[in-house]
Amino acid sequence: MGTELLAPLDLAFWHLESDAHPMHLGALAVFAPDGDRPPAPDALLELLGTRAAAIPRLRMRVRDVLLPVGGAAWSADKDFDVHRHVKRVRLPEAATAGEGGAGFMGAATLLAGELMEQPLRRGLPPWQMYLIEGAPDGPFAVLVKLHHALADGMRAVAIGAGIFDEIASAAGRPVPSAARMRTVPPRSWMPGPRQVAGLALGRIEDLGRAFGVGASLVRASRLDLRGAPALSASSSGTRRLVTADLDLEAVRRIRRAAGGTGNDVLLAVVAGALRRWMLERGEPLPGSDPRALVPVSRRRPGRAAPGDGNRLSAYLLGLPVSEPDAWERLRSVRHSMDRNKSAGPLRGAGAVAVLADQLPSLAHRFGAPLAGNAARMLFDVLVTSVPLPRSALSLGGCPLRALYPMAPLARGQSLAVALTTYGSTVQIGLVADGKALPDLERLGRCAEEEVAELLTLLPVSTAP
């Protein structure tokens, strides 16, 4: 049975994990009941299990290998049992009371935060799904957890999409048996003669790029970590999830007036929300603007081979929380992101993932704790955007109403922000250390207030 070595960056994610800092991505998908005849929970659970089992990547587990020293490989789990991974959770009826599903959302997000605290069990394929039930005639949710070694954001979307009616029906493939579990062919570890020269030249170029990134990393590292106390904390191992919704058309109106991209607007909204939140907490604004790590996918849409590992880089962005004018904050973000994009995703200190790709397996195994502790010296908060299919999605005939992505927390940090767009809404998942940020709900409201303020500052010519 074929195996596939973990790519260096995947290996780094695998070894970065600790009990207090699980390295899994997540998403909370919320569905509306299907008219007068919603599917029974048992049927939904069976549907989830069947579709998850039909995704070959979800049958792979990580095992150690002798060579390369310190390495690991993906291998098909011969004892794969989807029931170990797909669980059903029923919320107490009293906890879900409320108009319009508000009670359900509050209870579901609270539960999702608690479930995100728990590391995925090693020795099994590193993923989990939970069917979260509320009232019999009310909404329900599916929480998905995927280890970051298994997927980056784009691949997580591709894997998760396999549970939706539209994608599963289009695939039309049966659930594979354990005897047919070879998901990817084994890699050839010996290149042919014609490949050697090209590989050597490519290696020299990669090492030169890694040296440049390493130098940028040293220059960008900070010894004074007192800049943004609200965003740093000794980890309690707890997690909270808070969600927020922004009107997509409002974001587009702001973008049309300001130029740049929709992502620039969203980054400026995060900066403004952090400013409002810090001031309302009675905290002095940091002496230097907090840094955001903004991941960038290096994966070309539609070109990723089944065995490809994480393909990531990132930009570093100073979030202008010290700027009192919302429109100036947006301009600052736009100009900074323009500079980042001009340099490209393979340069600068934010491209630390590129550097990780050049390190040997043994360095990842023994250096991961040091790397995890050093993250605080480079950035204060992760802000990531996750693309979703543009089509309307459903599960068992029940329409998807919202999907809130969740990012992992780095050591020494108390907040991670993930955003996605579905339908007419930008949906935000705020993941925080539960004890460090007990007022996380207020930060979500601050994001909505920031959009409202930007709208009031629009030039008259852009009014609808």
Side-chain angles (χ1 to χ4, degrees), residues 167-393:
I167 289 86
S169 298
R173 57 179 180 262
V175 180
S177 66
R180 295 188 287 112
M181 267 307 304
R182 190 169 174 175
T183 59
V184 292
R187 288 181 177 176
S188 173
W189 296 356
M190 296 297 293
R194 295 183 179 180
Q195 296 175 283
V196 172
L199 288 172
L201 290 173
R203 184 63 175 165
I204 292 172
E205 181 181 335
D206 288 345
L207 289 174
R209 181 184 297 127
F211 180 81
V213 172
S216 297
L217 190 65
V218 171
R219 290 193 298 268
S221 296
R222 302 166 300 182
L223 298 179
D224 184 355
L225 304 182
R226 296 173 296 174
L231 302 179
S232 62
S234 299
S235 176
S236 67
T238 61
R239 293 292 181 271
R240 292 195 65 206
L241 168 66
V242 165
T243 63
D245 299 280
L246 307 178
D247 180 69
L248 178 59
E249 181 54 32
V251 172
R252 287 173 173 166
R253 285 178 56 199
I254 296 166
R255 180 198 61 78
R256 287 194 295 267
T261 68
N263 199 50
D264 294 342
V265 176
L266 294 175
L267 288 167
V269 167
V270 171
L274 286 172
R275 175 185 171 84
R276 293 169 183 272
W277 178 64
M278 290 176 183
L279 291 174
E280 289 184 9
R281 291 177 120 219
E283 292 185 6
L285 294 175
S288 59
D289 287 333
R291 286 178 179 171
L293 187 73
V294 184
V296 180
S297 177
R298 295 163 57 201
R299 194 184 302 281
R300 295 179 63 185
R303 295 292 186 92
D308 280 357
N310 277 277
R311 299 282 295 166
L312 289 172
S313 184
Y315 297 133
L316 278 183
L317 172 69
L319 295 173
V321 301
S322 58
E323 171 55 57
D325 184 271
W327 203 253
E328 288 300 321
R329 287 195 291 271
L330 176 52
R331 287 177 179 169
S332 174
V333 166
R334 180 188 170 190
H335 292 158
S336 296
M337 289 302 290
D338 284 347
R339 287 196 300 269
N340 279 330
K341 293 168 189 174
S342 295
L346 301 182
R347 296 184 180 182
V352 64
V354 177
L355 179 62
D357 268 338
Q358 304 305 316
L359 297 177
S361 302
L362 202 59
H364 287 303
R365 183 176 289 270
F366 293 106
L370 292 176
N373 290 325
R376 181 70 182 89
M377 298 175 66
L378 186 63
F379 66 98
D380 300 286
V381 59
L382 177 71
V383 183
T384 182
S385 293
V386 181
L388 280 185
R390 294 185 179 181
S391 58
L393 301 172

Side-chain angles (χ1 to χ4, degrees), residues 71-123:
W74 292 107
S75 178
D77 184 0
K78 294 180 291 186
D79 300 317
F80 177 78
D81 181 358
V82 74
H83 298 99
R84 292 175 175 172
H85 300 270
V86 179
K87 306 290 185 182
R88 176 180 173 186
V89 182
R90 177 70 185 272
L91 295 172
E93 190 168 341
T96 61
E99 294 184 5
F104 173 82
M105 275 303 302
T109 54
L110 180 62
L111 174 63
E114 294 173 353
L115 293 173
M116 289 296 288
E117 295 174 7
Q118 304 169 12
L120 292 161
R121 180 179 168 187
R122 298 204 168 203

Side-chain angles (χ1 to χ4, degrees), residues 133-182:
E133 303 172 47
D137 57 348
F140 66 92
V142 175
L143 173 66
V144 181
K145 293 167 56 175
L146 299 170
H147 199 284
H148 212 333
L150 180 68
D152 55 23
M154 286 186 68
R155 185 165 292 281
V157 170
I159 290 173
I163 73 169
F164 293 115
D165 296 337
E166 296 75 14
I167 289 86
S169 298
R173 57 179 180 262
V175 180
S177 66
R180 295 188 287 112
M181 267 307 304
R182 190 169 174 175

Side-chain angles (χ1 to χ4, degrees), residues 30-46:
V30 183
F31 298 87
D34 179 25
D36 297 328
R37 299 180 61 186
D42 288 343
L44 284 171
L45 193 68
E46 182 65 23

